[in-house]
Amino acid sequence: MLVISCAVLGALVGALTPRVAYRLSVEYGSPSRSACAHCARPFPAGLAGWVRPEARCPGCRTRLGPSPVLTALVGAVSFGTLTWALGAVPALPAYLFVAGLGLVLAFIDLACLRLPDPLVLAAFVVGGCWLTALAFVDGAAPALGRAALAALVSAGAYLVLALLPGANLGLGDVKLAGLLGLMLGWLGWPAAVLGLVLPHLINGPVALALLVSRRAGRKTDMPLGPALLAGALLAVVAAARALP
């Protein structure tokens, strides 16, 4: 029942993702969208302009952002898989919160090759504070120290990659890698190592397929955020269900 309940929660989060992703899918330094880009109809002020299950503009009926069916499906699978893998552990809410923001981040990155700092920071603060509180309550200081070290190692490794000539990485990828390193490090070093390796095993075949089909060139920028998040999800499953 817990898995089903969290999958339903993930579907709800996913259904509310398109409007948020659409409004934040802008160039770096630009303000979030305040109106439909097709008919210029302004979004409602306040929370009502962000949290809406309607994925189409009320004026021109153009779909704004990704398909809500797709985002709801991805949300349900992500939340359900995390819950199935981890079970009813005290850290589960932190992982679900990061997964919810990760869902938004993935679709923004796909749309405009950007991972907004406020979303990554929010996930880092909530996830980090939750794990810190657990460390004090449950006496899991070693796990917290390992998580912090894994965050530094992950961010440092991706920073080195980002600084290499011709690298297709941005600082947003570096920050997201640090966040995911924190969450995976809490589970153990095998999970953290998998979190470093799996994204490239996922993104590599995708990039190759795009090159072969000539939908992208060697210098085409490609989003890494979705692969980072998918790799982290697989690492959680492996650490919780497959690794000793």
Side-chain angles (χ1 to χ4, degrees), residues 158 161-162 167-171 173-174 200 224:
Y158 275 86
L161 291 176
N168 187 26
L169 289 174
L171 291 181
D173 298 313
V174 175
H200 300 283
L224 184 62

Side-chain angles (χ1 to χ4, degrees), residues 211-234:
L211 287 172
V212 171
S213 63
R214 296 187 178 181
R215 297 178 61 184
R218 292 184 178 180
K219 295 184 178 180
T220 301
D221 291 332
M222 298 181 187
L224 184 62
L228 283 169
L229 292 160
L233 177 60
L234 293 176

Side-chain angles (χ1 to χ4, degrees), residues 17 31 35 37-38 44 60 75 78 80 105 108 117 138 161 169 175 185 189 193-194 202-203 205 208 218 230 238 243:
T17 292
H38 300 274
C60 63
S78 301
L105 286 167
I108 293 174
D117 286 340
D138 295 341
L161 291 176
L169 289 174
K175 297 166 190 173
W189 282 113
V193 172
L194 282 175
I202 294 172
N203 222 40
L208 180 61
R218 292 184 178 180
L243 298 176

Side-chain angles (χ1 to χ4, degrees), residues 81-99:
T81 301
L82 279 173
T83 307
W84 168 77
L86 295 174
V89 296
L92 179 61
Y95 286 88
L96 294 181
F97 184 85
V98 172

Side-chain angles (χ1 to χ4, degrees), residues 15-32:
L16 297 175
T17 292
R19 177 63 63 87
V20 178
Y22 177 76
R23 294 193 63 173
L24 293 178
S25 295
V26 294
E27 296 295 329
Y28 179 79
S30 301
S32 60

Side-chain angles (χ1 to χ4, degrees), residues 112-181:
C112 66
L113 298 174
R114 181 171 168 247
L115 296 165
D117 286 340
L119 294 183
V120 178
L121 178 60
F124 213 116
V125 169
V126 172
C129 288
W130 193 281
L131 296 183
T132 301
L134 287 181
F136 281 102
V137 172
D138 295 341
L144 181 63
R146 182 179 61 236
L149 182 56
L152 291 174
V153 170
S154 297
Y158 275 86
L159 179 59
V160 170
L161 291 176
L163 294 176
L164 292 176
N168 187 26
L169 289 174
L171 291 181
D173 298 313
V174 175
K175 297 166 190 173
L176 180 59
L179 164 65
L180 298 177

